Amino acid sequence: MNKIENKLSVFALGGINEIGKNMYVLQYEEDIFVIDCGSKFPDESQLGIDLIIQDISYLKQHRDKIRGLIVTHGHEDHIGGIPYFLKQLTIPVYSTGLTLGLIELKLKEHGLLRQTELVLVNSESNLEFGSVSVSFFKVNHSIPDCLGVVFHTPEGSVVHTGDFKFDLTPLNNDYPDIHKMAEIGNNGVLLLLSESTNAERPGFNPSERLVGGHIEEAFRKARRKVFISTFASNVHRVQQVVDAAQKTNRKLALLGRSMVNVVAVASELGYLKIPEGMLIEKNEIKGMDPEKVVVLCTGSQGEPMAALSRLSTSSFREVEVHPEDTIIFASTPIPGNEKSVSRIIDNLFLLGANVIYGSGTVTGMHVSGHACQEELKLMLTLMKPKYFIPIHGEFRMLYQHRLLAESVGVKRDNIFIINNGDVVDITNQVARQTRKVQSGKIFVDGMGIGDVGNIVLRDRKLLSEEGMLVIVVTLSKRDGQLISDPDTISRGFVYSRNSEELMKEVNQLVIASINKLQAANGNKKNILKQEIKKSTEALLFTRTKRKPMILPIIIEI
């Protein structure tokens, strides 16, 4: 009798060929582990969409095998999808103190906190799940409490780095555990999954500590109020703003719900140290000397409803930007957000503000939290994997990371550049990629999850670009004759009062279409609608070279 071979499988449900909605899955026989559950913001073509999350159909089909969700750190692209995930699957969540604190905020908001099991782990934790055990190692990133994860399986060890950099002079003395990484590598790594965000950038990242000096210098030079915008979750950066405010004798106000929430959680858990009496409410700003105030706000990525965007259009109640105020962008725009950020910068200059913006290497106000090429090569050298899957990046980033892996000795045939849903199976130490599982995007729109698809988005795009023409036709139920002339309503297509001739032409065409169909005994509702739509579309394109959405409505009386 042949022995059944053990099978180890690894795949991504998000985070490959994209920035955001990270989710990776490891399965060994009957045990499934999920790593991270992030969200992604929509692009300009996805009108009205609030968030994008993963298609977890595969996980729902195998819910009894899932042992837990392990979260590497507390950024939105790693925790943003958790409430929507836990509404569909009830499983324990494992992570560090700050990350669990940020997850708790989301679960409270969605009414899920009481029913969710949250398990605290740290870099020294070891978890046992039958034939699979899980251990952790400490890494640097732009938020405290980040972990890499090691899955010890009978087939071999699989390492997921999480997001990382090698900052050797970190704030809070949160050093990367390089010795432990080397030990993991010496014990043998079958497969490494490593992030690829900065795989195109040569060299090493500067230390986060360098940013503090530039922030303090800008505060000293500022003649009036200082507004500084960064990611709310970048707790290290927030601490440096607090330190600079203390050294320059300024009070600190917080604007933006996420900033207020993250500061509260990080302070309560001891990750952020704010001197007593430093924080002021936003309604106190007007009554203080401008040179004694720093405002820390959200909106560095151009989000339209965030604090900085509203400040730039003078639509934030209680707080205003005045001439000679200083605005600091302590972040770099995520690809795709450049236009929105540029618009805010223009508006701030129009208000007379002094705006410090641009690349962190120029302004000194930002360093990346992601490993550059030499740091990625260092991780590969420490881990010495037999197989390698570059993750967390767009295709060009994954491709560059593959070249880096080859340069430090990983065999080309042992490197897998995959898509979301591609499964890498490892049996008897041999890896193959031959099958797929279901993956994709699920759109969150208001209270709806997954009820908006490509057809709805296509209609929204058409409405936004070409407008809509509604044609209301009233017919007699008895003989199908027109009771009155058609009523045409234009929205976003042409202004009806300025286009009376065109509207008359549309009405005449609709009447002619109805009469033609009645003569052929074809006045069924559906046929009538199709004919009205088809003939009106042709007329409007001929006259205007536009293709609005045509909505015929037939009322029978």
Side-chain angles (χ1 to χ4, degrees), residues 469-473 528-530 532-533 550-554:
L469 190 70
V470 180
I471 302 168
V472 182
V473 176
L528 206 55
K529 282 183 179 180
Q530 287 172 14
I532 290 170
K533 188 176 178 183
I550 310 293
L551 288 180
I553 298 173
I554 296 174

Side-chain angles (χ1 to χ4, degrees), residues 280-304:
I280 59 171
E281 296 296 324
K282 59 188 175 187
N283 56 9
E284 297 179 66
I285 295 173
K286 277 186 179 177
M288 297 193 65
D289 291 338
E291 65 274 12
K292 296 292 183 184
V293 177
V294 173
V295 180
L296 180 58
C297 59
T298 56
S300 62
Q301 296 303 308
E303 304 95 312

Side-chain angles (χ1 to χ4, degrees), residues 429-440:
Q429 304 276 306
V430 178
R432 293 184 181 87
Q433 197 286 301
T434 57
R435 65 187 180 100
K436 292 177 72 75
V437 298
Q438 183 174 333
S439 65

Side-chain angles (χ1 to χ4, degrees), residues 74 80 83 121 168 245 252 256-257 299 303 320 325 335 344 355 373 402 487 491 497 547:
V121 297
L168 304 181
L252 180 66
R257 189 179 64 150
E303 304 95 312
E320 289 182 79
D325 284 348
I344 290 173
V355 187
Q373 289 182 353
R402 184 184 77 181
D487 189 12
R491 290 290 181 270
R497 288 184 185 175
K547 293 182 177 179

Side-chain angles (χ1 to χ4, degrees), residues 491-542:
R491 290 290 181 270
F493 168 52
V494 291
Y495 185 50
S496 298
R497 288 184 185 175
N498 295 342
S499 307
E500 288 181 3
E501 288 301 316
L502 179 62
M503 294 299 106
K504 278 181 187 175
E505 206 172 341
V506 169
N507 285 351
Q508 288 166 4
L509 179 66
V510 171
I511 293 168
S513 298
I514 292 169
N515 292 335
K516 177 181 162 188
L517 282 172
Q518 283 175 337
N521 293 319
N523 61 340
K524 288 183 179 175
K525 264 191 182 182
N526 286 342
I527 298 172
L528 206 55
K529 282 183 179 180
Q530 287 172 14
E531 182 59 33
I532 290 170
K533 188 176 178 183
K534 184 178 171 185
S535 56
T536 306
E537 279 177 348
L539 171 70
L540 295 178
F541 187 74
T542 302

Side-chain angles (χ1 to χ4, degrees), residues 310-548:
R310 288 155 59 204
L311 286 166
S312 75
T313 55
S314 301
S315 56
F316 197 107
R317 287 189 307 170
E318 300 173 305
V319 185
E320 289 182 79
V321 174
H322 292 106
E324 298 300 314
D325 284 348
T326 297
I327 319 289
I328 300 170
F329 283 77
S331 64
T332 300
I334 294 169
N337 293 347
E338 295 90 349
K339 281 185 181 177
S340 303
V341 173
S342 296
R343 196 177 305 122
I344 290 173
I345 292 168
D346 283 344
N347 289 341
L348 292 167
F349 273 123
L350 285 168
L351 292 173
N354 169 34
V355 187
I356 300 172
Y357 67 98
S359 164
T361 53
V362 176
T363 66
M365 296 297 176
H366 177 68
V367 295
S368 175
H370 298 277
C372 292
Q373 289 182 353
E374 297 306 313
E375 295 159 280
L376 293 173
K377 283 154 69 175
L378 176 55
M379 179 63 80
L380 283 156
T381 303
L382 289 168
M383 292 297 172
K384 298 182 287 191
K386 180 176 181 180
Y387 294 105
F388 174 55
I389 301 176
I391 59 169
H392 198 296
E394 294 169 351
F395 183 80
R396 66 186 185 280
M397 302 166 187
L398 308 179
Y399 181 86
Q400 289 294 334
H401 204 173
R402 184 184 77 181
L403 298 180
L404 295 175
E406 287 182 52
S407 74
V408 296
V410 182
K411 293 178 183 175
R412 187 185 185 96
D413 290 344
N414 288 4
I415 301 170
F416 295 88
I417 294 184
I418 59 174
N419 292 307
N420 291 329
D422 289 350
V423 182
V424 175
D425 292 312
I426 305 178
T427 304
N428 294 333
Q429 304 276 306
V430 178
R432 293 184 181 87
Q433 197 286 301
T434 57
R435 65 187 180 100
K436 292 177 72 75
V437 298
Q438 183 174 333
S439 65
K441 301 173 184 173
I442 300 294
F443 298 120
V444 178
D445 185 1
M447 297 292 286
I449 303 171
D451 56 348
V452 173
N454 290 330
I455 293 171
V456 173
L457 287 178
R458 185 187 65 198
D459 286 349
R460 288 181 180 180
K461 191 168 189 292
L462 178 60
L463 287 168
S464 72
E465 292 176 348
E466 305 283 359
M468 171 176 71
L469 190 70
V470 180
I471 302 168
V472 182
V473 176
T474 308
L475 300 177
S476 167
K477 190 179 280 188
R478 183 170 54 82
D479 57 12
Q481 296 295 314
L482 266 171
I483 291 176
S484 61
D485 285 346
D487 189 12
T488 50
I489 304 161
S490 170
R491 290 290 181 270
F493 168 52
V494 291
Y495 185 50
S496 298
R497 288 184 185 175
N498 295 342
S499 307
E500 288 181 3
E501 288 301 316
L502 179 62
M503 294 299 106
K504 278 181 187 175
E505 206 172 341
V506 169
N507 285 351
Q508 288 166 4
L509 179 66
V510 171
I511 293 168
S513 298
I514 292 169
N515 292 335
K516 177 181 162 188
L517 282 172
Q518 283 175 337
N521 293 319
N523 61 340
K524 288 183 179 175
K525 264 191 182 182
N526 286 342
I527 298 172
L528 206 55
K529 282 183 179 180
Q530 287 172 14
E531 182 59 33
I532 290 170
K533 188 176 178 183
K534 184 178 171 185
S535 56
T536 306
E537 279 177 348
L539 171 70
L540 295 178
F541 187 74
T542 302
R543 296 284 184 272
T544 67
K545 293 294 182 279
R546 299 183 209 165
K547 293 182 177 179

